Amino acid sequence: MGTGAGSGQGQLFLRSLLFLLLAGPPAPRPAGGQLHYAVPEELEHGAFVANLGEDLGLDVSTLSARRFRIVSRAGARQHLEVNLENGILFVNERIDREEVCEAGGTCLLHLQLLVESPLELYRVEVEVLDINDHAPTFPWQEYVLEVAESAVLGARFPLESAQDPDMGTNSVHTYRLSPNSFFSLEVQTRSDASKFAELVLERALDREQQRTHRVLLTALDGGVPERSGTAHILVTVLDANDNVPAFDQSSYGVSLPEDAPAGTLVIQLNATDLDEGPNGEIEYSFSGHAPPRVRELFHIEPRSGQVLLKGPLDYERANLHELYVQAKDRGPSAVAVHCRVLVHLLDVNDNAPEVTLTSVSTPVLEDAPPGTVIAVISVLDRDSGDNGHVICEVSPDVPFELRSSFRNYYTLVTTQALDREVVPEYNVSITARDMGSPALLTRSTLTILVSDVNDNAPRFLQPSYSVYVMENNAPGASICSVSALDPDCQQNAYLSYSIADGHIHGMPVGTYVSINSDSGHMYALRSLDYEQIRSFQIHVQAQDAGFPPLSANVTVHIFVLDQNDNAPVIISPMPRNGSMATELVPRSAGPGYLVGTVSAVDADAGLNSRLSYQLLQATDFTLFSVAPDTGELRTLRSFLEQDATRQRLVVQVRDGGQPALSATVSLLLSVVETMPQTLSDFSEFSLPPEASSSSPLTLYLLVSLGSISFTFLLAILILTAIRCRGERCSRQGDGCSPRLCHCCPGSRPSPEGLKTSNLTVQPPAGTMAATCLDIPGGGPPGYCYKVCLGPESAQSDFMFLKPCSPPRNNEKDPGKQSQLVQHLRVSKQIKQPNMDWLPPSTQRPALKRYQIRHCGNRGSGWKG
């Protein structure tokens, strides 16, 4: 057993420390663009190797945040590690150079260092230096050497070599033999610089004197401190077998492909022995120091000397196998001779490339610029030469490409802008192909998710919305729903709806409608009235929850539909003092005589405001009729003596809505012989202030109509004054005194007078052109009326003229005057009349006076 085999781990650590002190700290040196360090083997855990943070120029404080780490293959042992607090590379577990590098030679550990944000890759080589941690060992502790007594002086007997796993000077350096008088030792050097010992006979042997000889063989290495191993050699003196086998050559070399099947002949060995019989029969076998791995892979036929392949070969594990074969005859005191067989393996492309995703940054933002690093990919082919040269590529139909940073290292980067709304996910196929024949390839699929960026504004389903709402709706009822879409996802697609600030008829839009911010449903906050507001528009905004938020607007047009919720309002005739309206009708009126026109308005629109008139009640239905469209009240026949002097009529006005609404007015017609000067209930009316709410355009129209009416009335008064002056002059010529004649009863205007009138009308036959009416009972004096009736009621005109006589004192009676100027007001609940429907032409003068009085202008009496 070796003399140094019993030393403890403490001595091993002291030797490693002594080596470091003599060699100095491992200084980095560039080797092909990478850092190179040297470290002895067998260092304890935590031993310092290098300061990577300083040598790579990295900020030590950011190493942990940037995930500074060593990238290794799956399942590989992590001999070295990096301290993220100070950037020091230290020994993570004990490194045995003989275990890590089985093939011998320079032992290198290749490290790939990866740091992120930004992504950077470094390569570091760490050379494992050999230390003298192994003592030489012999295959046996005791070795029997048989030597014929006939051996001549100077005969050489090769001895089993000692093996030392260490390299260089730490391997076997020399041999020593214990002092004796028969044998000496000579150390020989092979072509590969390995040493072996030969026992040289220095004195003739005599079996009869001494049958055995014991010597101690010591193998020494060249390490510091020196280590050794020993073996006891027992020399047995035999009778003479004076010829030993001999090989054709001392060393053989052969090449064998690594995929050779079991049973393949590796080499045919041949050794010869000049002896005859059993002394000349040769047997072949592995020498006692052949490693177990060689015995697993190869087999020797003892008699033929054929070396056959026994197990599978692997070039990537070991590309060279060294076989030590011995040949020995079968005679007594046989001496074994040795030879070496070097089996060189030929590489075969039997390993497909391996693709490893070292670092993957996914998902990737859709607004990532071209050139953004997505992943770091490493490829490895265990073959050599062209069989181990790998080309890596991606499918051409994706916006990514591979860029080579180091040999067998690639970065996957973007080549163009991404759009998640078009392609939310990419399956990138990465193909690694070697250059062997036939080529082997490996495909790996990398799924890259594209994360959303708020780059799309919401979009409404319609460019605008039109909503129709029936008036008198219930407050809080849903009126419509708006909807928008956002092609983004998650919070970038979460939409909230709101109504833009604004005013509707001076009121904030929020007092009219509201919207559900999540669903887009809109609700009316108040009951709408078609007569107050017919349409309005609001602006709805849809805004996403992204950062920064994006929004879109849409206009919602809301149209209020009319309901028949307003009954007709009768504006003429107006009852006096809360009683029914009264009117005087001359008994001389013939069929078709226009008593007056019932006028009404309806605040609704369309059919709801189309009015029809009918006579609901009458003292005598055969005497009067009402035009259903115009409301004109006319006589059907002439009055008879038996007809009552007071006729009570009830006229109903009905609109065209469903259900129809109506209003009635009661009329009391007094049949008189003469028509007094009194104001008819058909003439004056007024509206409450509530009915004056109208649009500015209506106000302008009313002012214009009032101005025109005032001008027209002024012209009529001037013409009337001129005409009365001419008639007084004509009466004075006839001898009628104005002081004695009130209205010149019995006088008739001549046809020439009618022709000279401004009113071009033709009175019907039997109709008086002028009539004087006296009011009995001491009433006011008779007034002179000129009645011009045409064949159509629309062309009729009833003109009021000044009296012929001076005014009397009783005309200034306040009670009488107030009765003449008093007019009835309509209920304050009347709404503004609807202007969409115009009444018949016969009712328009009454409507004009209604509008003029509503604006504060007093006009003349209604002309029936």
Side-chain angles (χ1 to χ4, degrees), residues 104 154 161 257 503 612:
S161 300
H503 291 81
S612 62

Side-chain angles (χ1 to χ4, degrees), residues 1-7 135 227-228:
M1 193 67 181
T3 58
S7 59
R227 307 190 72 171
S228 64

Side-chain angles (χ1 to χ4, degrees), residues 262-344:
T264 301
L265 176 64
V266 178
I267 192 173
Q268 174 70 58
L269 298 178
N270 185 31
T272 59
D273 194 325
L274 298 178
D275 294 328
E276 294 181 354
N279 294 332
E281 295 178 0
I282 301 175
E283 289 185 349
Y284 300 90
S285 64
F286 286 114
S287 64
H289 204 69
R293 179 66 178 166
V294 172
R295 297 178 185 272
E296 292 176 0
L297 295 178
F298 301 96
H299 168 70
I300 297 178
E301 289 291 335
R303 303 304 298 264
S304 64
Q306 290 182 343
V307 180
L308 302 177
L309 183 62
K310 180 181 178 181
L313 302 175
D314 189 354
Y315 177 89
E316 288 70 38
R317 182 173 181 178
N319 57 5
L320 175 65
H321 295 281
E322 192 173 9
L323 285 65
Y324 291 94
V325 181
Q326 67 180 10
K328 184 167 61 171
D329 60 29
R330 301 181 64 185
S333 64
V335 178
V337 295
H338 301 79
C339 74
R340 184 177 65 167
V341 179
L342 297 178
V343 180
H344 298 273

Side-chain angles (χ1 to χ4, degrees), residues 812-824:
K812 297 182 180 180
D813 184 18
K816 298 294 184 177
Q817 269 190 331
S818 61
Q819 184 176 2
L820 291 176
V821 299
Q822 182 181 8
H823 59 276
L824 299 178

Side-chain angles (χ1 to χ4, degrees), residues 158 329 404 598 746 801 818:
D329 60 29
S404 179
V598 177
L801 302 181
S818 61

Side-chain angles (χ1 to χ4, degrees), residues 79-147:
H79 295 287
L80 302 175
E81 188 58 306
V82 177
N83 189 330
L84 297 182
E85 295 180 358
N86 51 27
I88 291 178
L89 182 67
F90 64 94
V91 176
N92 186 45
E93 63 179 23
R94 187 180 65 86
I95 304 175
D96 188 353
R97 191 198 65 82
E98 289 75 23
E99 179 183 354
V100 174
C101 303
E102 295 180 1
T106 303
C107 184
L108 296 176
L109 295 179
H110 298 279
L111 304 180
Q112 284 80 33
L113 303 177
L114 185 67
V115 63
E116 298 181 356
S117 301
L119 191 64
E120 296 177 348
L121 186 67
Y122 303 94
R123 297 188 67 182
V124 175
E125 267 187 0
V126 178
E127 181 181 359
V128 181
L129 302 178
D130 183 50
I131 65 172
N132 192 20
D133 59 337
H134 294 86
T137 58
F138 288 92
W140 298 284
Q141 294 183 3
E142 187 171 334
Y143 177 68
V144 179
L145 178 63
E146 296 177 345
V147 180

Side-chain angles (χ1 to χ4, degrees), residues 73 112 121 123 352-358 376-382 388-393 402 404 406-411 430-434 442-444:
R73 298 193 308 272
Q112 284 80 33
L121 186 67
R123 297 188 67 182
E354 300 175 7
V355 179
T356 303
L357 299 177
T358 302
V376 176
I377 302 169
S378 62
V379 293
L380 174 66
D381 196 319
R382 300 182 183 274
H389 183 67
V390 181
I391 297 177
C392 201
E393 58 187 9
L402 289 175
S404 179
F406 296 102
R407 184 176 184 270
N408 293 338
Y409 277 86
Y410 297 87
T411 55
I430 302 172
T431 303
R433 180 184 290 104
D434 60 27
T442 299
R443 285 191 175 91
S444 180

